[in-house]
Amino acid sequence: MLHPLAIDHERRTIGRVIDHLEHAATTIGLDQVCLGGDFVSRITRELPRIPSPADGLMPPGLEVGSSIEGLAGPEDYPALATALAARGWSTEDVAAVTHGNLLRFLRAALPA
C-alpha cells in the first residue's frame, strides 16, 4: 500500500517507501514483495463523495486524499524505479518488485 498512513504519515517521501520495501524484502523475502498502490488521492478526486474515515482514524494533518511526495499514482512508478536503482537495487530486483512478482503470482493463482 502506497498511502502515507501505511508508509509514514510524517515523512511522505519516496525514500520512506523504499525503506518500507527494503524492510519487507528483508523480513519476508524479495520474491514475496510487490507494489500495491492504494492511490486514495486519485479516488477522492474522481469520486469526491467518498466519506472521510471516522474521527480519530487519521493522524492530525493527514487528509484522506494524501499521497507520497512524487508518487501520486502509477504514472510515477518510473520515479520510484529510479530511486530504487539509486539506492543500489539491481535492475532484476526493481523489475521483481514493480511487476515481476505480481505477474508470477497471478500466473500461478489464476486459471490459464
Side-chain angles (χ1 to χ4, degrees), residues 56-78:
L57 292 180
M58 296 290 277
L62 185 65
E63 300 294 325
V64 173
S66 297
S67 64
I68 301 294
E69 183 179 314
L71 196 56
E75 68 275 8
D76 295 328
Y77 279 172

Side-chain angles (χ1 to χ4, degrees), residues 45-94:
R45 282 194 307 269
E46 293 173 2
L47 302 169
R49 292 173 290 190
I50 292 178
S52 294
D55 290 340
L57 292 180
M58 296 290 277
L62 185 65
E63 300 294 325
V64 173
S66 297
S67 64
I68 301 294
E69 183 179 314
L71 196 56
E75 68 275 8
D76 295 328
Y77 279 172
L80 178 58
T82 298
L84 286 164
R87 182 79 75 93
W89 285 49
S90 70
T91 301
E92 294 80 15
D93 290 349
V94 171

Side-chain angles (χ1 to χ4, degrees), residues 1-7 17 20-21 34-40 68:
M1 184 165 145
L2 295 176
H3 189 274
L5 188 59
I7 303 296
V17 171
H20 188 79
L21 291 171
C34 67
L35 298 179
D38 276 352
F39 293 107
V40 178
I68 301 294

Side-chain angles (χ1 to χ4, degrees), residues 94-106:
V94 171
V97 169
T98 57
H99 64 280
N101 291 339
L102 179 60
L103 287 174
R104 179 180 39 80
F105 169 79
L106 291 175

